[in-house]
Amino acid sequence: MTNNVYFIGGGQMVTAMIRGLLRQGMAADQIGVTDIDPKRLAWLKANLGVRVSATPDQAALHQAEFVVIGVRPQDNIKQVVQAIAKATPTGTVLSIVAGVSIATIAAQLGNNQTPIARVIPNTMTEAGYGTNAVSLNATADQTAVVKFLSAIGKVAVIPESQMAVFTAFGVAGPNYIYHFFRAMSNAGVLAGLSRNQANELLLENLKGAAVMLTDQHPEILLDRNNSAGGVGIHAANALAQGGFDAAIADAVLAAKATTESLGAHHD
Ligand SMILES: NC(=O)C1=CN([C@@H]2O[C@H](COP(=O)(O)OP(=O)(O)OC[C@H]3O[C@@H](n4cnc5c(N)ncnc54)[C@H](OP(=O)(O)O)[C@@H]3O)[C@@H](O)[C@H]2O)C=CC1
Ligand SMILES: O=C(O)[C@@H]1CCC=N1
């Protein structure tokens, strides 16, 4: 288990990561957090018992095994990285900021020796599913980083060139399913089911579909479910006319383009 972690930015994603570390048995006093929102810090201290400070704690930054940049792409990343550089970190700098490249962080740190890991964490890991993707610079220790990230779920080490598609397809991935769930639930209510009936049927089908799709191709499953001239094939035709496939593809491509653009202004 990691000895000491320091988070800059204590929002939703960092909170999920801290919960994962605590679940794995890390002591709360081994975790430090700074955030510009005092209310957020008070909440973190009261609910998770971690160490908090209103400004970056230089000594903690210096000695942390992992310094995690957990602010948003729109925040002042340069200022955050410069605060880290000032503390001459001895551990790995781990960024979860969507779209911001390892090269950008290295340039702002002002050296190429500090180990850097760029991570895109997945909130699905809270449920025991979902993959967190990570790319590393040349000096980062892959085994140590993967071990640290294993506390929050499954880990895939990927080339940085795949980070945008992992973000758009994998990490934003649960969103498409939530949108589908909501649309399908409303369709059931529109067609005459109660909300509870619709959601129960939907959840049961979603779980079953996940099992079926684990080892069977969707085209085979669809063929089996669509009788000639029957119910399913008419529904499929309506979905095609509504642009279902194209809407999904456009959503993933929009998310990928956004990931790339979010980090661009920091380069
Ligand atoms: N939520 C998600 O599902 C995922 C998020 N991410 C990434 O995680 C990062 C955080 O996202 P999320 O947790 O949703 O965002 P949040 O807005 O919940 O958290 C960001 C926190 O950082 C604080 N902050 C801003 N600037 C600074 C600063 N200079 N120093 C210290 N704290 C600061 C913010 O305070 P204030 O609000 O007062 O500005 C806020 O509390 C993002 O970069 C995002 O791309 C990655 C994968 C998934
Ligand atoms: O929506 C977002 O910006 C974050 C990053 C990827 C998924 N959630």
Side-chain angles (χ1 to χ4, degrees), residues 13 73-74 96-99 120-121 123 166-168 171-173 175 258-259 262:
M13 197 64 237
Q74 302 85 343
I96 64 165
V97 187
I120 189 74
T123 50
F166 257 76
T167 306
V171 170
N175 295 4
T258 303
T259 306
L262 275 175

Side-chain angles (χ1 to χ4, degrees), residues 9 11-13 35-37 70-73 75 80 96-98 121 123:
Q12 297 188 60
M13 197 64 237
D35 193 289
I36 52 175
D37 180 357
V71 299
R72 292 160 303 227
D75 294 328
V80 168
I96 64 165
V97 187
T123 50

Side-chain angles (χ1 to χ4, degrees), residues 155-231:
V155 184
V157 180
I158 59 166
E160 197 177 13
S161 57
Q162 281 199 321
M163 202 42 102
V165 66
F166 257 76
T167 306
F169 186 87
V171 170
N175 295 4
Y176 312 120
I177 296 165
Y178 302 147
H179 282 296
F180 169 78
F181 190 101
R182 190 187 56 181
M184 189 74 190
S185 173
N186 281 341
V189 173
L190 184 65
L193 294 172
S194 73
R195 180 67 70 185
N196 279 347
Q197 282 176 318
N199 289 352
E200 268 175 34
L201 288 169
L202 190 47
L203 208 49
E204 193 64 17
N205 281 345
L206 262 182
K207 288 180 191 164
V211 174
M212 303 282 256
L213 287 166
T214 303
D215 58 6
Q216 296 181 77
H217 196 284
E219 293 294 356
I220 292 172
L221 296 171
L222 282 169
D223 200 36
R224 203 192 293 162
N225 272 9
N226 289 335
S227 314
V231 177

Side-chain angles (χ1 to χ4, degrees), residues 17-29 31 47-50:
M17 289 178 80
I18 293 174
R19 284 194 204 281
L21 293 169
L22 294 174
R23 266 199 305 272
Q24 292 297 307
M26 189 167 188
D29 65 3
I31 301 172
N47 290 280
L48 303 180
V50 294

